[in-house]
């Protein structure tokens, strides 16, 4: 599925018309492709507090060139506006800011950069997680970073994105893995997000195939987001089992053949689903992606059990039941990772989608409730909440709603299945343990529920 307006707005004629009439001009987003060598193809600029030196060290492994403001050490040349490359990525360590007056350092650092960035630039601000701060003024100051980073994300042009990453005490070793995702085109449709990295014993170390040898299950894998997830997990080294309803047999078999994966035709709401799944996974599974989902939209006034029940059954009850079965039968490998596909609708609610929103909000609660037991095994359970993604599901929407869904985000366009898949693949890495229980929106900073 494509968004023809993005193509038009980026054509020569389209640019002129869009500029003259004042229409939205969504950028053509850069995405990851197999020929890329590094996460940052271009200059990475680091600045701010004590973590800047660590970032410069890690970045040598994934950025083409690293600069700093102010000068950090002899290995990291100073950047200035008149000389040196335009930054493709920026990391600013704000973790040492402790008073509201010090927040002005953010303005001083970012203002000269705003017109100097490359298209599709990536910005990450690092902060200190609140549990490490006992002084209320310091907590207030760190909390202020949320408003700043989300506003910065809305002011960046040409497909630029910005995120805030709070780092808890003892979690510094998890920052590199997060930066490799958030500074690369893999996070093209992730913007205005706030995440906290917490200490975890496991890390992602095997670049560039971080899932090598891992066994993964993806439900709803025959098409759309699920097919993209399966493809991306396989690209990153996982052995994938693709699951979808028996009616999707042909698409599932074709994808399985292409990826060297195995296919499992199963309705996840059937009474035998758990036993058939366990039988199909005799060696267990390390990564479980609960992606299968359906919508049956009706306003609450017109809702009937025929619309309500299947949505709750597929989107919420089946992931709960299947996860429980995998845990009870010890079918999850050591340090298992579970990723749940929620939706921004589950965060914001949506007219005509009370059933779907309830199910998708329930998944966020599921991750929060299960985070502790999974952490005890070195594992994690996290939720990905996509915004408007170009798939069969959104293609069925009425034209006006579809257009509104596409444009009502800071990036002014819908995302691609690959954008969600890249986020899931990141959260399927061992380092996801640092994000256990959290929600990552992949929504182009959608205005819904933001
Ligand atoms: N497309 C979007 O904009 C969007 C936004 C937010 C969240 N999501 C979520 O992302 C996930 C994937 O969405 P999509 O757009 O790719 O949808 P899609 O309709 O294109 O694909 C969903 C897949 O799930 C399978 N499925 C449905 N019921 C099943 C069942 N009972 N057992 C096994 N498989 C079943 C379908 O056969 C299909 O292959 C869903 O959970 C959806 O709610 C999508």
């Amino acid at each position: 599925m494509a968004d023809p307006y993005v193509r038009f707005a980026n054509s020569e004629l389209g640019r002129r018309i869009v500029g003259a009439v004042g229409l939205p001009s969504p950028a053509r987003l850069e995405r990851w492709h197999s020929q890329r060598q590094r996460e940052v193809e271009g200059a990475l600029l680091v600045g701010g507090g004590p973590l800047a030196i660590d970032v410069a060290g890690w970045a040598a492994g994934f950025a083409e060139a690293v600069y700093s403001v102010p000068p950090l050490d002899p290995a990291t040349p100073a950047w200035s506006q008149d000389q040196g490359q335009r930054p493709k990525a920026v990391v600013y360590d704000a973790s040492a800011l402790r008073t509201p007056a010090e927040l002005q350092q953010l303005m001083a650092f970012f203002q000269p950069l705003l017109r100097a960035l490359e298209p599709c630039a990536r910005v990450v601000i690092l902060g200190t997680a609140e549990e490490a701060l006992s002084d209320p003024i310091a907590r207030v100051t760190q909390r202020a970073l949320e408003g700043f980073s989300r506003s910065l994300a809305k002011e960046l042009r040409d497909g630029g994105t910005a995120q805030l990453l709070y780092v808890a005490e003892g979690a510094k070793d998890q920052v590199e893995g997060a930066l490799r995702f958030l500074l690369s085109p893999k996070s093209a449709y992730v913007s205005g997000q706030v995440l906290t990295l917490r200490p975890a014993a496991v890390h992602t170390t095997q670049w560039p195939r971080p899932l090598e040898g891992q066994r993964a299950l993806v439900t709803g894998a025959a098409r759309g987001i699920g097919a993209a997830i399966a493809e991306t997990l396989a690209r990153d080294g996982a052995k994938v089992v693709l699951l979808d309803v028996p009616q999707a047999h042909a698409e599932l078999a074709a994808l399985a053949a292409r990826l060297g994966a195995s296919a499992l035709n199963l309705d996840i709401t059937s009474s035998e689903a758990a036993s058939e799944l366990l039988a199909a996974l005799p060696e267990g599974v390390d990564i479980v992606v609960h992606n299968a989902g359906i919508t049956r939209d009706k306003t609450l006034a017109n809702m009937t059990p025929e619309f309500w029940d299947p949505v709750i059954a597929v989107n919420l009850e089946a992931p709960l039941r299947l996860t429980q079965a995998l845990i009870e039968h010890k079918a999850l490998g050591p340090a298992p990772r579970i990723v749940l596909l929620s939706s921004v609708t589950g965060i914001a609610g949506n007219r005509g989608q009370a059933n779907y929103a309830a199910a998708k909000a329930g998944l966020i609660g599921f991750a929060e409730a299960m985070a502790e037991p999974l952490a005890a095994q070195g594992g994690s359970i996290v939720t990905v909440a996509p915004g408007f993604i170009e798939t069969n599901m959104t293609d069925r929407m009425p034209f006006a709603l579809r257009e509104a869904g596409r444009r009502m985000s800071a990036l002014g366009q819908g995302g691609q299945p690959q954008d969600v898949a890249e986020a899931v693949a990141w959260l399927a890495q061992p380092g996801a343990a640092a994000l256990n229980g959290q929600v990552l929106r992949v929504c182009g900073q959608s205005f819904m529920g933001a």
Side-chain angles (χ1 to χ4, degrees):
M1 313 299 142
D3 176 352
Y5 182 76
V6 174
R7 214 174 319 125
F8 167 73
N10 285 284
S11 67
E12 208 165 307
L13 174 68
R15 251 193 302 272
R16 266 187 273 146
I17 295 176
V18 160
V21 185
L23 289 169
S25 57
R28 205 189 284 278
L29 302 183
E30 277 174 25
R31 293 188 162 89
W32 185 267
H33 54 79
S34 56
Q35 281 83 47
R36 276 191 76 109
Q37 301 290 316
R38 309 178 186 83
E39 281 80 354
V40 180
E41 298 282 10
L44 169 69
L45 176 60
V46 294
L51 288 172
I53 291 190
D54 297 289
V55 173
W58 299 319
F62 63 79
E64 197 179 320
V66 187
Y67 295 89
S68 63
V69 173
L72 272 182
D73 57 30
T76 319
W79 182 85
S80 79
Q81 216 160 347
D82 334 306
Q83 56 180 62
Q85 290 170 266
R86 295 173 73 191
K88 185 75 191 172
V90 179
V91 180
Y92 183 77
D93 176 20
S95 65
L97 302 186
R98 291 291 177 270
T99 65
E102 288 171 357
L103 290 170
Q104 212 191 64
Q105 293 173 27
L106 295 165
M107 188 173 77
F109 180 83
F110 282 103
Q111 210 168 50
L113 287 177
L114 286 173
R115 291 194 179 85
L117 297 173
E118 284 274 338
C120 296
R122 305 264 167 270
V123 175
V124 173
I125 295 175
L126 301 174
T128 297
E130 60 173 2
E131 54 263 36
L133 300 168
S134 51
D135 173 20
I137 301 293
R139 283 174 84 148
V140 166
T141 307
Q142 285 295 310
R143 183 59 190 262
L145 299 178
E146 289 197 20
F148 178 83
S149 63
R150 290 196 163 116
S151 304
L152 174 64
K154 288 183 174 167
E155 289 196 24
L156 289 173
R157 297 189 206 156
D158 289 334
T161 63
Q163 335 288 341
L164 170 60
L165 207 51
Y166 286 119
V167 185
E169 232 168 58
K172 197 170 89 171
D173 54 356
Q174 300 286 354
V175 177
E176 180 184 353
L179 291 181
R180 280 181 183 257
F181 173 71
L182 295 172
L183 297 178
S184 86
K186 291 179 179 175
S187 59
Y189 200 59
V190 177
S191 196
Q193 295 306 292
V194 178
L195 295 167
T196 301
L197 295 174
R198 299 211 158 78
V202 279
H203 300 92
T204 306
T205 47
Q206 300 182 66
W207 314 106
R209 276 166 65 89
L211 306 180
E212 193 70 61
Q214 304 276 302
R215 299 154 301 177
L217 167 73
V218 182
T219 70
R223 66 176 194 210
I225 294 171
I229 292 171
E231 186 141 11
T232 309
L233 297 183
R235 176 201 70 191
D236 286 356
K239 267 176 64 184
V240 189
V241 176
L242 315 175
L243 181 157
D244 212 300
V245 288
Q247 299 90 300
H249 166 79
E251 295 103 303
L252 203 66
L255 183 63
R258 190 154 63 77
L259 301 182
S262 46
L264 176 59
N265 299 113
L266 184 64
D267 180 338
I268 54 170
T269 62
S270 77
S271 51
E272 304 80 41
S275 55
E276 285 188 34
L277 179 64
L278 288 165
L281 299 170
E283 292 161 18
V285 64
D286 304 294
I287 297 161
V288 179
V289 184
H290 287 294
N291 163 79
I294 58 166
T295 49
R296 297 281 183 273
D297 298 353
K298 276 273 178 232
T299 56
L300 207 45
N302 296 319
M303 186 74 74
T304 61
E306 289 71 39
F307 282 74
W308 181 273
D309 294 344
V311 170
I312 301 292
V314 175
N315 294 288
L316 184 56
E317 286 174 327
L320 302 189
R321 218 180 24 250
L322 296 183
T323 305
Q324 215 53 50
L326 291 167
I327 292 174
E328 273 167 26
H329 290 82
K330 303 198 177 349
L332 295 178
R337 272 90 65 211
I338 300 174
V339 185
L340 307 164
L341 267 285
S342 177
S343 164
V344 292
T345 297
I347 296 167
N350 200 18
R351 189 186 142 78
Q353 290 198 308
N355 49 357
Y356 183 71
K360 294 302 192 185
L363 289 179
I364 295 173
F366 183 39
E368 288 170 0
M370 291 296 293
E372 224 177 280
L374 275 151
Q377 312 176 38
S380 59
I381 178 164
V382 290
T383 318
V384 170
F388 185 100
I389 307 296
E390 304 282 352
T391 68
N392 280 24
M393 195 178 260
T394 46
D395 212 35
R396 286 196 301 268
M397 290 166 76
F399 174 78
L401 268 183
R402 193 165 66 234
E403 265 309 287
R406 281 171 169 158
R407 304 304 153 224
M408 278 174 53
S409 68
L411 290 175
Q413 59 193 288
Q416 293 296 324
Q418 184 194 349
D419 299 328
V420 182
E422 296 288 7
V424 170
W426 175 46
L427 296 169
Q429 293 175 7
L435 294 161
N436 195 12
Q438 296 181 57
V439 183
L440 174 66
R441 291 171 57 135
V442 183
C443 64
Q445 203 177 17
S446 163
F447 303 149
M448 255 179 91

